Amino acid sequence: MPSGLIDAYPPSPDRYDEMLAADGRPRAHWQGFADRLHNFPDDNLARRADFVRDAIEADGVTYNVYADPKGTKRPWELDMLPLMVSADEWAQISEALAQRARLLNAVLGNLYGDQSLLAEGLLPPALVFGQHGYKWPCRGVQPPGGVWLHNYAADLARSPDGRWWVIADRTQGPSGAGYALQNRLIVSRAFPDAFRDMHVQPLAGFFRALQDSLGRLAPTDGEAPLTVLLTPGQYNETYFEHAFLARYLGFPLVEGQDLTVRDDTVYLKTLRGLRRVHAILRRLDDDFCDPLELRADSALGIPGLLGAIRAGRVLMANALGSGVLESGALFGFLPAISERLLGEPLAMPSVATWWCGEPPALEYALEHLDDLVIKPAFASMHMEAVFGHQLRGEARRNMIARLQAQPHAYVAQEWVRLAQAPVWSRYREQRLMPRSVGLRVFATATPEGYVVMPGALTRVAPRAGMEVISMQRGGLSKDTWIKTETPVVHTSLLKKRLGVIDLVCAASDIPSRVGENLFWMGRYAERCEASSRILRAALARASSSEGGRDPSFRGLLTAACHAGVLPVETIEDPDEDIEERLLAAVFDPEQAGSVAANLRALAFAASQVRERMSSDNWHALNRLEQVLQTPAATLDQALAALDRVMLSCISLAGFAMDDMTRDEGWRFLILGRRAERMAGLATLISVPLEAPAEVRERMFDWLLETANSIVTYRARYRRAPETLPVAHLLVFDTSNPHSVAFQVETLRHDLERTASELGHPCPPLLDELSAQLRRFDLTTLEAERCDGACGHLGRLLMQIQQGAHILSDELHRRFFTHTVRPVALRRVA
């Protein structure tokens, strides 16, 4: 690394530089880190940048962007260089943000309470009632402890003179705290010595305060508090953060369908039944939370939720209706409101703002348009900020006309030239480049007042000279280091001492949706592996066989069709483009039953339970999903891809057996695997059994191969496959994990334990199938021509296949849908 790394960094004369003072030297709180940058050997920073990028990919950190041509799961962008803030400066920021949170909490109580601010003229009624953010059904609600704003975030910008300004308030469900924590976990590992020696304040205490606050304020009626994190689902742009925070905080991650309201009480649908929810940490916008009283077309909310809140039976963080404060039009009124409600001046001012709904403000905005930024007055407008100095000709005239036509819909803010900070070049230039930065700072309510996170999400413009910092537009992020002069005190989120009630409740919070997705994750994982084995056998034989004239190969294609891996027309005309059809069965995600389609379904099910998976397990899934992204042109390439898929599937199976806690969720994942394998094996084995005697034994090679039992057979018998030993190994041998009987007996055992723990009687279906397998007379398969016995066994296997699907349906009714009365499992005819 050149010694002039910092010397080559270009400061800007009209912007505040976070690293360099006016004389071009590093600021005092940057000096230690700047010295390290200066002394790093060549290529050291490049290796650390690679580490950060690899960590983002390995951890699956994403920021979803709607209609993004790169795909919805865009990797999170993190610059490896942290932003340094001195302890003294941060103390001032924290004090000001805690005050602002108290103020906005009081404003919410006033607007949904006696509304004296409106009566006294401190707020224009049109500014409150003229927007969608004010929720009339929430009027008169009294939240527990009088706390409306449990979580608050403010976007800060530093002006050229070094002062901080608030440019936006985030009051509905502020995002970014989880990403700030993820950034800390990665960057602290990229610079471990610097992080330790510079005494960077840890973040865990902030999240511990959030945990404790929700538990203490929730209306529990003496019960152990249950807090859930409510997400809109995996397509939300910050879904990774929802899953990450749920896992970190120890809260079940739920969607609206996981909750139900009965008698003004919110319940979580768990595998054990309904369990009362006492607090909801929401990341769902106000409008969508309750389709009964808010937005009727919402499919994301919980009917009756507002009634439970009104009855004081559940804590909602943040309170419904808090989005009304995200209007920038309020900024100009906050100084007087602070004096009225708090009796003190506003510690950190908002950026100068004029609500154009007032005639003098509109007149000022039109006169000074070049120095202003025009923004929507209300969040529901979804309008991008417009910089007046960038408007020319027709665009300028159109903007003026819009302001004059609907002045109440716009605010004009002073154009603040954002501060800049160094970022490491993403294009291998190995140099520092200046980029505009802003902070998102977080506060959480506690019984003792608001606590501010000793860190922030630093957001970075993606290009030089860019005026707007937006993650949707490809912005970067930074970790934010708040330095102290003394060693830091580390805080853990773990409870200091557990009680018996914690042990009793530890296993009862698994939502039914999680159990269902784990069940299907097991089924699709098994289906991916099974379809890969079938197609690998078919691809290996496609080039060497006699095509459709080889009865053994035709039998393999028939089995693939019965298993849903190939379309039915393949049997009808096996000579027609067989290689093309086999390649499509591997790589075409739009073809039902293809390996690619099954992988996509597996990834979807896994994404629904992201918070329950270890990092290693998630890494294996990420690799699996990437295997088939480049279609193969030849059979050899397809075979190589299938080998990689199978290795990843085997890794997933290993993680399931050795990496996951044996709780109820794990049991449903294993039930899904066993049910799928039982149905798949029964389907495969029945094909040779139904074939004519002269062809049957020629099919046993591919049957043993696709059933993953050919090594066992050769070790036992050391001769060509025959009907009796093959049938015994694949159907009746309970020591073979790839036999039908093994699946039946294992399912019986697992269902007995599951039924016992979850309070449902064990179904008789598997007992009947097990008894039929035990009653089958193997001696009938000894004859050289045993067509009748093979037909009998084939019909039994079809009953077992049907039984696997019946079992899957009944498990859904019994554990996932929460019908009033469980439905009895049907018998197999």
Side-chain angles (χ1 to χ4, degrees):
M1 184 61 56
S3 60
L5 182 67
I6 295 180
D7 295 336
Y9 171 74
S12 176
D14 61 345
R15 294 178 186 267
Y16 184 94
D17 192 283
E18 295 289 344
M19 182 176 69
L20 300 182
D23 59 3
R25 297 180 180 179
R27 300 184 187 275
H29 58 282
W30 271 87
Q31 189 63 58
F33 195 81
D35 290 342
R36 291 174 185 270
L37 291 179
H38 181 81
N39 295 324
F40 279 140
D42 290 351
D43 296 329
N44 188 285
L45 281 179
R47 288 195 298 271
R48 293 172 195 254
D50 290 340
F51 169 83
V52 169
R53 184 171 56 254
D54 292 344
I56 290 289
E57 181 179 352
D59 290 347
V61 188
T62 58
Y63 182 83
N64 301 341
V65 179
Y66 305 115
D68 188 353
K70 298 180 181 179
T72 57
K73 295 182 180 179
R74 177 192 288 178
W76 178 249
E77 296 285 356
L78 171 61
D79 179 55
M80 67 172 175
L81 301 179
L83 181 77
M84 304 288 176
V85 182
S86 68
D88 291 341
E89 184 174 35
W90 192 257
Q92 299 173 13
I93 292 174
S94 296
E95 182 179 353
L97 266 293
Q99 182 212 47
R100 193 176 184 97
R102 284 191 293 119
L103 172 62
L104 295 180
N105 184 74
V107 171
L108 281 173
N110 190 284
L111 294 181
Y112 290 103
D114 62 16
Q115 298 183 341
S116 60
L117 292 177
L118 303 178
E120 296 173 16
L122 293 172
L123 266 179
L127 189 55
V128 176
F129 302 141
Q131 61 161 306
H132 295 297
Y134 188 81
K135 304 303 176 189
W136 283 96
C138 299
R139 177 81 193 280
V141 170
Q142 293 295 325
V147 179
W148 293 78
L149 203 59
H150 294 267
N151 294 297
Y152 166 66
D155 289 337
L156 307 185
R158 197 199 289 266
S159 60
D161 62 4
R163 289 189 298 169
W164 289 103
W165 301 81
V166 177
I167 60 173
D169 292 308
R170 307 296 178 185
T171 57
Q172 253 193 113
S175 65
Y179 285 114
L181 179 59
Q182 179 70 46
N183 288 355
R184 172 61 53 84
L185 295 176
I186 294 176
V187 174
S188 62
R189 285 183 287 153
F191 297 96
D193 296 338
F195 183 78
R196 179 195 64 233
D197 297 342
M198 298 180 72
H199 305 310
V200 180
Q201 293 190 39
L203 306 181
F206 172 82
F207 294 98
R208 178 64 182 271
L210 172 61
Q211 269 185 335
D212 291 344
S213 174
L214 295 177
R216 292 168 65 180
L217 291 173
T220 62
D221 298 333
E223 301 172 324
L226 173 61
T227 302
V228 299
L229 195 155
L230 177 62
T231 174
Q234 68 160 344
Y235 296 112
N236 184 263
E237 58 190 7
T238 58
Y239 179 73
F240 166 82
E241 182 186 36
H242 306 172
F244 176 72
L245 279 179
R247 186 169 66 251
Y248 185 75
L249 295 169
F251 298 161
L253 181 66
V254 302
E255 298 180 18
Q257 60 185 304
D258 298 325
L259 304 177
T260 185
V261 176
R262 301 183 183 180
D263 298 326
D264 285 337
T265 303
V266 181
Y267 292 95
L268 173 63
K269 303 172 186 175
T270 76
L271 294 173
R272 292 175 178 262
L274 300 179
R275 187 178 174 207
R276 183 181 169 187
V277 173
H278 306 92
I280 300 174
L281 177 60
R282 71 178 173 102
R283 296 300 295 274
L284 187 62
D285 288 348
D286 290 327
D287 282 338
F288 298 97
C289 285
D290 186 346
L292 288 184
E293 298 195 57
L294 296 172
R295 182 165 170 167
D297 63 345
S298 171
L300 304 175
I302 307 99
L305 177 60
L306 189 50
I309 295 172
R310 193 179 289 117
R313 298 285 292 166
V314 68
L315 178 149
M316 177 64 77
N318 286 338
L320 294 182
S322 55
V324 68
L325 298 187
E326 294 191 346
S327 168
L330 296 174
F331 284 1
F333 304 95
L334 288 181
I337 294 175
S338 180
E339 294 283 0
R340 168 65 176 80
L341 296 182
L342 303 184
E344 55 192 46
L346 202 58
M348 181 181 291
S350 310
V351 63
T353 303
W354 294 265
W355 177 46
C356 297
E358 296 181 311
L362 174 62
E363 182 179 344
Y364 181 89
L366 295 176
E367 184 178 347
H368 299 85
L369 187 58
D370 287 340
D371 300 319
L372 300 175
V373 182
I374 306 301
K375 296 182 178 181
F378 312 119
S380 59
M381 294 175 62
H382 302 295
M383 167 191 155
E384 297 287 347
V386 176
F387 290 81
H389 67 278
Q390 295 178 345
L391 295 174
R392 297 289 185 273
E394 187 66 23
R396 185 182 184 88
R397 289 190 291 272
N398 288 340
M399 187 72 255
I400 292 174
R402 289 164 64 186
L403 287 170
Q404 292 173 332
Q406 291 185 305
H408 65 280
Y410 300 96
V411 295
Q413 288 186 345
E414 179 185 359
W415 172 31
V416 178
R417 290 163 177 80
L418 301 175
Q420 69 177 28
V423 300
W424 180 250
S425 170
R426 290 187 287 177
Y427 302 104
R428 298 290 183 179
E429 298 172 74
Q430 297 197 0
R431 65 186 180 91
L432 303 181
M433 301 182 298
R435 292 290 184 269
S436 298
V437 297
L439 297 185
R440 178 167 292 181
V441 186
F442 305 91
T444 188
T446 71
E448 292 75 34
Y450 281 91
V451 172
V452 176
M453 179 196 288
L457 177 65
T458 298
R459 301 187 302 154
V460 186
R463 294 184 298 277
M466 193 168 181
E467 304 281 1
V468 177
I469 301 175
S470 169
M471 306 310 291
Q472 286 279 354
R473 293 186 176 185
L476 306 171
S477 66
K478 282 179 174 287
D479 189 14
T480 310
W481 288 10
I482 313 302
K483 295 179 58 180
T484 62
E485 301 302 325
T486 58
V488 298
V489 177
H490 292 281
T491 303
S492 172
L493 264 69
L494 301 178
K495 293 184 178 181
K496 294 182 179 180
R497 191 173 185 86
L498 295 177
V500 173
I501 193 168
D502 298 301
L503 303 178
V504 171
C505 296
S508 60
D509 297 339
I510 299 176
S512 295
R513 178 183 54 84
V514 170
E516 182 178 10
N517 279 287
L518 284 168
F519 178 79
W520 278 101
M521 182 178 165
R523 289 197 65 175
Y524 279 117
E526 185 66 30
R527 196 173 294 181
C528 285
E529 182 178 347
S531 59
S532 295
R533 290 188 185 278
I534 294 174
L535 287 169
R536 187 174 67 171
L539 285 166
R541 290 163 173 78
S543 57
S544 60
S545 69
E546 298 179 0
R549 292 186 296 276
D550 182 352
S552 173
F553 184 60
R554 285 182 65 98
L556 176 54
L557 297 180
T558 300
C561 291
H562 287 178
V565 178
L566 289 173
V568 177
E569 55 266 22
T570 306
I571 305 177
E572 300 170 356
D573 190 3
D575 290 325
E576 183 68 26
D577 299 326
I578 187 60
E579 291 189 8
E580 182 178 337
R581 291 180 181 178
L582 290 174
L583 290 175
V586 177
F587 292 99
D588 186 358
E590 304 304 322
Q591 178 172 308
S594 70
V595 177
N598 286 329
L599 284 178
R600 185 165 62 180
L602 171 62
F604 177 84
S607 70
Q608 300 291 307
V609 292
R610 173 69 175 88
E611 77 282 3
R612 296 187 56 82
M613 302 177 66
S614 70
S615 296
D616 290 335
N617 204 340
W618 190 253
H619 299 169
L621 273 166
N622 281 341
R623 290 194 297 271
L624 183 59
E625 194 175 3
Q626 295 167 5
V627 169
L628 302 182
Q629 288 184 350
T630 303
T634 67
L635 296 183
D636 289 342
Q637 292 173 334
L639 282 168
L642 288 176
D643 286 341
R644 294 195 297 273
V645 170
M646 289 177 57
L647 283 174
S648 295
C649 287
I650 292 169
S651 297
L652 286 181
F655 285 124
M657 299 307 298
D658 195 50
D659 193 51
M660 294 183 68
T661 304
R662 264 54 171 175
D663 59 11
E664 297 155 4
W666 173 84
R667 197 162 293 120
F668 276 94
L669 182 142
I670 298 302
L671 286 173
R673 276 188 170 274
R674 297 300 179 202
E676 186 67 31
R677 185 175 293 182
M678 184 170 78
L681 284 170
T683 300
L684 282 177
I685 300 168
S686 64
V687 172
L689 292 176
E690 295 171 354
E694 61 273 11
V695 179
R696 182 182 306 126
E697 293 190 352
R698 293 172 59 185
M699 297 185 183
F700 287 158
D701 275 332
W702 64 252
L703 176 60
L704 288 167
E705 181 182 338
T706 56
N708 199 21
S709 296
I710 193 165
V711 173
T712 303
Y713 184 89
R714 289 171 177 169
R716 287 186 181 182
Y717 299 107
R718 300 184 182 278
R719 61 183 295 152
E722 299 174 3
T723 301
L724 176 59
V726 168
H728 175 262
L729 178 63
L730 296 184
V731 180
F732 300 99
D733 186 356
T734 55
S735 69
N736 178 17
H738 295 277
S739 76
V740 174
F742 183 93
Q743 315 313 316
V744 173
E745 296 304 319
T746 305
L747 277 169
R748 284 180 65 205
H749 176 270
D750 290 345
L751 278 174
E752 284 177 2
R753 183 169 179 181
T754 300
S756 173
E757 292 182 357
L758 301 184
H760 291 294
C762 187
L765 172 65
L766 292 172
D767 291 334
E768 297 173 4
L769 295 176
S770 177
Q772 290 188 56
L773 285 172
R774 290 195 302 270
R775 288 196 300 266
F776 187 89
D777 185 2
L778 279 172
T779 61
T780 60
L781 297 174
E782 290 180 337
E784 185 174 344
R785 296 189 65 86
C786 50
D787 294 350
C790 287
H792 180 199
L793 182 56
R795 289 189 293 274
L796 174 57
L797 289 173
M798 287 298 95
Q799 289 184 26
I800 291 174
Q801 182 212 44
Q802 181 188 7
H805 297 309
I806 292 174
L807 178 64
S808 177
D809 291 342
E810 298 297 352
L811 286 175
H812 277 76
R813 294 191 187 94
R814 190 175 287 258
F815 297 108
F816 304 150
T817 58
H818 289 271
T819 53
V820 176
R821 186 178 295 175
V823 182
L825 285 168
R826 302 192 300 272
R827 295 174 179 267
V828 178

